[in-house]
Structure formats: structure tokens, C-alpha cells
Amino acid sequence: MLKIEVKTTEVNERSGTKNNRDWKIRTQEAYAHIINPNGTASPYPEKIFLSLQNGNGSRPDQSPYDIGTYYLHPSSCYVGDFNALRLGNINLMTEAQFRAQITAMFNPQKQAA
């Protein structure tokens, strides 16, 4: 799984109008620990920007992630055109959620008959 470190809760927001439509982009700085093509861990994490969801009339903007270590949630991946694996909206989970997800995936509880 991809490990992501969030070092600040600051949200960077840009907005404007294009083709008579308002737009807003909200991002949060983070760092991704990447595995190189040769299979070794990169010596330094790479700076990335996480997109935060915009709200609408009934839903507020997504809150920034708290400072801490996170892992990429499986819901961030989907199968797209030509059965290609793609990344969609990035969702992160805490280490405790990550451990529970791995346990559930690889050690499913037996269901009662």
C-alpha cells in the first residue's frame, strides 16, 4: 500500500470562472513514499497535493486530513476503459484502519451456516 504523510492541515484554494462557470480547487500538501521501478524505496518521500472534495448546498467542503501517516484506501482504485487499473478520488485511511482492512481482506471471518 502507498504510505502518505500529512505534515500540515493548511488548505490551498484556487477559484475562478471559465466559460461562465465558477470553479474551485482545494488541495492539501502531503508526501508519498514511493517504490522505485527497481523495487527499492525512494530515499526521500515525494511532495504531492491531495485534492479535497468541494461541498455543495447540502454538504460542506471536505475537511483537511489531520497531521499524521495514512495509507491509500482501496476505494481510490477502479477499473477503467480497456480494463486498465486507474486512480480516482484519493481516499486515505489511518494506520489502524489500514491494519483492519488488511486483516479483513486476508483473514476473512468464517460465516455461520
Side-chain angles (χ1 to χ4, degrees):
M1 278 295 195
L2 188 60
K3 180 178 168 183
I4 307 287
E5 285 187 80
V6 174
K7 303 268 187 197
T8 177
T9 59
E10 182 180 330
V11 174
N12 301 306
E13 186 172 308
R14 293 180 287 145
S15 60
T17 303
K18 183 175 182 178
N19 298 329
N20 294 323
R21 297 195 75 155
D22 293 335
W23 59 269
K24 178 170 73 168
I25 298 173
R26 300 171 57 251
T27 61
Q28 183 177 7
E29 185 178 300
Y31 294 85
H33 294 264
I34 304 296
I35 302 298
N36 294 317
N38 65 5
T40 62
S42 179
Y44 303 103
E46 299 279 343
K47 181 171 27 173
I48 62 170
F49 292 96
L50 300 169
S51 293
L52 300 174
Q53 298 295 310
N54 293 325
N56 59 29
S58 62
R59 176 175 51 94
D61 288 343
Q62 178 184 353
S63 297
Y65 289 98
D66 290 330
I67 293 170
T69 300
Y70 296 87
Y71 296 87
L72 188 66
H73 193 280
S75 67
S76 301
C77 302
Y78 68 97
V79 177
D81 293 344
F82 308 106
N83 294 339
L85 184 62
R86 303 275 187 222
L87 284 177
N89 290 330
I90 302 299
N91 297 306
L92 302 181
M93 58 185 163
T94 63
E95 186 169 349
Q97 292 167 328
F98 171 71
R99 290 183 187 281
Q101 181 81 26
I102 294 299
T103 299
M105 286 174 62
F106 295 106
N107 298 313
Q109 296 179 355
K110 295 181 181 177
Q111 294 181 358

